[in-house]
Amino acid sequence: MTTRNGPFKGRSISVVNDLSIDEQRYLYRKARLLKEDLAAGGRADGFRIADPDYSAYLVFLENSTRTRESFRNAAEFHNVRVNVFDAATSSFAKNESVTDTFKMLIGYAAESCFVVRSKLEGTCTWLASRLGPWAAERGMSVPSFINAGDGKHEHPTQEFLDEFSFLEQRGWKEDSIHLALVGDLYHGRTVHSKADGLRVFKEVRVDLVAPPELTMPPFYVDAMKRNGFEVRVFESVDEYLAAGNAAPLWYFTRLQLERMGDSVLEKAPRLRKAVTFRRELVGKLPDGARFYHPLPRDRLAPTIPTWLDDTALNGWDAQSANGYYTRVVEMAMLAGRIGQDFDGTAKESSLPDEDFVVEAPVAPSRKPEYKVGIKPVERGIVIDHIASGEPVTAIWDRVDMIRRVLNLNLRSSHGVYHSNRGPELYKGIISIPDRLSFGERELKKLGAVSPGCTINLIEDQEVKKKYRLGMPPRIYDFDDISCANENCISHPKHEEHIAAHFLRKVGTEGGSTYVCRWCEREHDFSEIWSLKGRG
Ligand code: CP
């Protein structure tokens, strides 16, 4: 049997960015070689895992035709054990947790790759982070997880087959792409993934075509702009074609109006019309135009009408078939069957470090005005510069939030005061007498609730030490935080008992937010304190 190793072995693909751009290009190069070899009648044995102890588990907790069948066929190409997990008759029906189910399945094979579709967002990221180390600690092989679509979040392997199809259409040139995204850009995870996946091209122009009710969420538009994409926005196909300079490649999606309320359903005919291609528009397309669609098309109201099926615009049938080649290669990479010849930049896997407390200079022999009630603080801690410069109501809210999150139910005083930074500027202050330290957990909470505040250690009415708190890079392991996304696997309503975990994300304009490590929902720092903190 062939030895399997290499840089991809035991890794997971939960989101597009789990492969670096160089790693994605490697995937496309290999998929091209595989496709060419099979088309020429070859057996492509150099790609086959061919190990009877290797198990491919297809766990589809939501419907699928293309993704499940292309992975099932890919697994059969590899000559490995293929298991199609029957969710309907499994112990999920007896309230078994996702984590317990996968732990059990890991035990049934020497090595496993799980292909998982779930409506719970972040499922694969969670499983890979929890069960990889769990298996390694027990001397078991680290399992791989492949996200086959999680709610509205991501569908990375669809993204890889889409990019492969665009590259193929462009004669494998990576220099540039001009792509229109047309349809339900609000719900479609395959269009969300484009914010990362299109980075394989050096210059990217994206035209977003959707009525306002179905527009691309700002999170993904911002990500596209951050990635240097040129982005234009249109409300309908007609408006887009009238504007001129339409893209040669169009990527349509299905309208998922069933996910929206009755008020939107009433508008369905108008929304459909805005993003459905029509016969009289064909002549307005640029030469060599090609349409794509992740499929399925809506049988009753397809955004790409069926009379286009036998025209040169049809790029979607070949795109769908490409799912087989790219998925064979993804499985070969994660099993370590290929990858030894990869020589690009690998994805960085480490979590950010933890520094967020910076010692600040103390003005020499300054007697501060800090008080407890009307008396000066003799000795204690003063939290200063709370929400400095923000509106007074926001400062009071922040002071209140700090007291709740830090559980400051003790003798102290607080208030909103003038800031030295300007006559009309204010800040919050909390004085806590007879206390000279905060624990690391409290500092972390304080930095997360009120970044930019200072902690002043007072003795003999003087500031002896001053520390400025930034936003901690990671917030986790607290009872009173939770992800605001109700579809996140960690959301308390799913009772999966998965701890919330947030990673700081620095924005292009210097501001920072917290992103859920599992589902990637972005939060303002005050939003993560969901329970006691909001009171
Ligand atoms: N494109 C896609 O994910 O299709 P399925 O839902 O049929 O897997």
Side-chain angles (χ1 to χ4, degrees):
M1 202 180 306
T2 318
T3 311
R4 292 185 283 104
N5 52 29
F8 303 106
K9 189 167 184 315
R11 281 175 54 183
S12 289
I13 301 175
S14 307
V15 293
V16 168
N17 281 339
D18 279 338
L19 295 183
S20 71
I21 296 297
D22 281 352
E23 290 171 339
Q24 290 169 36
R25 289 188 177 128
Y26 178 84
L27 189 168
Y28 304 138
R29 279 198 301 277
K30 291 293 175 184
R32 181 183 172 190
L33 289 176
L34 171 75
K35 187 173 178 178
E36 287 169 358
D37 188 20
L38 293 178
R43 284 192 38 80
D45 281 334
F47 289 87
R48 281 182 215 271
I49 300 169
D51 182 344
D53 292 327
Y54 190 93
S55 177
Y57 255 103
L58 310 189
V59 183
F60 279 72
L61 308 173
E62 275 204 313
N63 294 342
S64 167
T65 304
R66 273 146 292 275
T67 314
R68 190 190 58 208
E69 291 308 307
S70 56
F71 267 118
R72 192 174 58 74
N73 280 285
E76 282 172 3
F77 165 90
H78 280 298
N79 293 336
V80 298
R81 280 197 234 165
V82 185
N83 305 278
V84 181
F85 182 82
D86 184 355
T89 59
S90 76
S91 290
F92 282 129
K94 297 184 200 163
N95 278 346
E96 183 169 45
S97 73
V98 167
T99 315
D100 273 1
T101 302
F102 282 88
K103 247 188 203 174
M104 176 260 311
L105 296 176
I106 289 168
Y108 294 160
E111 222 179 317
S112 304
C113 175
F114 296 98
V115 180
V116 185
R117 174 170 287 190
S118 167
K119 69 176 187 320
L120 295 184
E121 297 173 14
T123 298
C124 277
T125 310
W126 156 256
L127 289 171
S129 80
R130 171 74 182 94
L131 297 184
W134 176 86
E137 276 161 24
R138 285 156 183 77
M140 301 156 92
S141 286
V142 172
S144 293
F145 294 90
I146 298 181
N147 178 6
D150 57 343
K152 287 205 298 287
H153 179 219
E154 278 223 24
H155 191 354
T157 67
Q158 175 73 46
E159 181 57 21
F160 296 146
L161 80 88
D162 290 347
E163 300 302 335
F164 178 82
S165 304
F166 301 151
L167 281 164
E168 188 173 47
Q169 167 64 14
R170 295 201 29 73
W172 308 107
K173 289 203 295 280
E174 294 164 355
D175 56 340
S176 66
I177 187 168
H178 184 190
L179 179 72
L181 300 177
V182 187
D184 187 344
L185 308 187
Y186 182 77
H187 293 103
R189 57 194 173 201
T190 64
V191 286
H192 300 166
S193 296
K194 298 274 169 300
D196 288 318
L198 283 167
R199 289 194 303 143
V200 295
F201 293 95
K202 295 185 179 79
E203 269 182 46
V204 180
R205 283 190 288 157
V206 181
D207 298 330
L208 305 176
V209 184
E213 293 86 344
L214 302 176
T215 199
M216 178 80 86
F219 176 82
Y220 298 104
V221 181
D222 290 349
M224 287 181 171
K225 290 181 180 167
R226 249 196 327 273
N227 288 336
F229 300 2
E230 199 181 296
V231 180
R232 298 191 297 168
V233 178
F234 303 90
E235 292 193 6
S236 68
V237 169
D238 291 274
E239 184 194 326
Y240 180 44
L241 287 171
N245 196 17
L249 306 184
W250 291 39
Y251 187 94
F252 286 82
T253 61
R254 184 172 68 86
L255 270 64
Q256 301 178 47
L257 301 183
E258 68 280 3
R259 294 182 187 245
M260 304 186 85
D262 289 345
S263 63
V264 170
L265 284 179
E266 283 165 18
K267 301 175 193 165
R270 176 176 62 77
L271 301 181
R272 279 211 184 85
K273 180 163 182 287
V275 293
T276 299
F277 203 75
R278 303 194 308 279
R279 225 175 261 278
E280 66 269 26
L281 302 176
V282 173
K284 299 183 177 177
L285 290 169
D287 287 345
R290 196 62 61 101
F291 287 178
Y292 297 88
H293 194 305
L295 306 180
R297 273 188 291 180
D298 185 323
R299 174 162 52 89
L300 303 178
T303 48
I304 302 179
T306 49
W307 53 264
L308 284 167
D309 287 8
D310 296 325
T311 70
L313 288 171
N314 183 343
W316 59 92
D317 284 338
Q319 171 195 5
S320 169
N322 282 338
Y324 174 69
Y325 306 108
T326 49
R327 286 167 176 144
V328 165
V329 169
E330 288 151 18
M331 295 183 88
M333 286 165 71
L334 302 189
R337 180 65 183 88
I338 60 172
Q340 296 78 2
D341 55 343
F342 173 72
D343 62 358
T345 304
K347 177 192 152 56
E348 283 204 20
S349 57
S350 59
L351 289 168
D353 62 22
E354 301 269 348
D355 283 351
F356 65 98
V357 183
V358 179
E359 189 162 354
V362 176
S365 65
R366 180 172 155 233
K367 289 265 179 195
E369 70 277 22
Y370 300 139
K371 304 245 179 7
V372 191
I374 55 167
K375 286 170 62 183
V377 178
E378 276 292 331
R379 181 173 181 279
I381 289 181
V382 173
I383 307 170
D384 196 353
H385 302 101
I386 296 168
S388 183
E390 292 187 27
V392 169
T393 48
I395 301 173
W396 275 116
D397 284 350
R398 191 79 62 78
V399 167
D400 184 47
M401 193 166 181
I402 291 174
R403 299 180 66 81
R404 287 172 187 275
V405 170
L406 291 187
N407 210 13
L408 292 177
N409 296 320
L410 36 75
R411 186 172 70 92
S412 61
S413 72
H414 59 267
V416 174
Y417 300 86
H418 268 114
S419 162
N420 292 333
R421 287 167 44 206
E424 294 303 318
L425 292 178
Y426 300 90
K427 61 181 182 174
I429 293 180
I430 298 176
S431 304
I432 311 163
D434 302 325
R435 183 163 174 183
L436 279 180
S437 69
F438 271 142
E440 194 186 329
R441 287 171 64 78
E442 288 164 308
L443 283 177
K444 220 171 192 189
K445 284 186 172 187
L446 185 54
V449 171
S450 196
C453 74
T454 57
I455 293 195
N456 299 270
L457 305 184
I458 315 284
E459 285 194 82
D460 302 326
Q461 296 184 22
E462 271 186 27
V463 179
K464 297 291 183 195
K465 289 253 186 215
K466 184 195 278 264
Y467 299 93
R468 188 169 296 281
L469 300 189
M471 272 173 85
R474 294 201 284 146
I475 296 291
Y476 58 101
D477 207 13
F478 290 121
D479 291 340
D480 44 3
I481 55 172
S482 75
C483 179
N485 175 10
E486 291 206 346
N487 298 319
C488 177
I489 189 162
S490 74
H491 194 279
K493 90 171 193 188
H494 302 301
E495 298 186 325
E496 290 286 346
H497 305 290
I498 294 170
H501 191 141
F502 296 95
L503 304 174
R504 186 182 63 195
K505 182 177 134 194
V506 180
T508 39
E509 278 152 34
S512 294
T513 51
Y514 279 119
V515 173
C516 171
R517 183 176 169 195
W518 315 126
C519 75
E520 300 189 295
R521 165 72 70 91
E522 202 169 354
H523 300 70
D524 177 71
F525 61 84
S526 61
E527 281 179 303
I528 66 174
W529 304 97
S530 57
L531 305 173
K532 288 177 244 162
R534 277 184 198 148

